[in-house]
Amino acid sequence: MSSTSQKHKDFVAEPMGEKPVMALAGIGEVLGKRLAEKGFDKAYVVLGQFLVLKKDEELFRDWIKDTCGANVKQQGDCYGCLKEWCDAFL
């Protein structure tokens, strides 16, 4: 990831708490709604799936693509956001 968005920087700057799924980098309104409809309404629920997949980039990218239709950029943005958050807080 050559550069990060302001959304990414904001997310990784503090504990996750009860942030909505749309607070994750790469997840906008459309993908956020799709994720919420499948039970992934909070960022920490997506984090749980990220951890279940053992922080594996390929597995996470496949999961988020299959779950909400995220494109390659969105997959990478969300993965990078969660990975950096884990590096800082876990």
Side-chain angles (χ1 to χ4, degrees), residues 5-75:
S5 66
Q6 188 61 48
K7 189 175 184 180
H8 174 110
K9 291 173 188 169
D10 291 345
F11 188 85
V12 301
E14 61 187 15
M16 195 174 302
E18 294 287 325
K19 289 182 181 177
V21 71
M22 288 181 283
L24 289 163
I27 306 300
E29 192 171 334
V30 172
L31 296 184
K33 185 175 181 189
R34 290 179 191 160
L35 285 165
E37 287 170 355
K38 295 185 178 181
F40 297 92
D41 59 332
K42 300 285 185 182
Y44 69 80
V45 184
V46 177
L47 172 67
Q49 184 65 28
F50 178 79
L51 295 174
V52 164
L53 296 172
K54 299 183 178 179
K55 301 190 254 182
D56 181 276
E57 184 171 5
E58 184 178 349
L59 291 175
F60 182 77
R61 282 176 173 267
D62 286 346
W63 172 81
I64 202 153
K65 178 181 73 176
D66 294 343
T67 303
C68 68
N71 67 31
V72 172
K73 182 181 184 324
Q74 293 161 331
Q75 294 164 26

Side-chain angles (χ1 to χ4, degrees), residues 67-87:
T67 303
C68 68
N71 67 31
V72 172
K73 182 181 184 324
Q74 293 161 331
Q75 294 164 26
D77 288 351
C78 191
Y79 172 82
C81 182
L82 288 170
K83 181 178 184 319
E84 188 173 329
W85 188 92
C86 287
D87 291 347

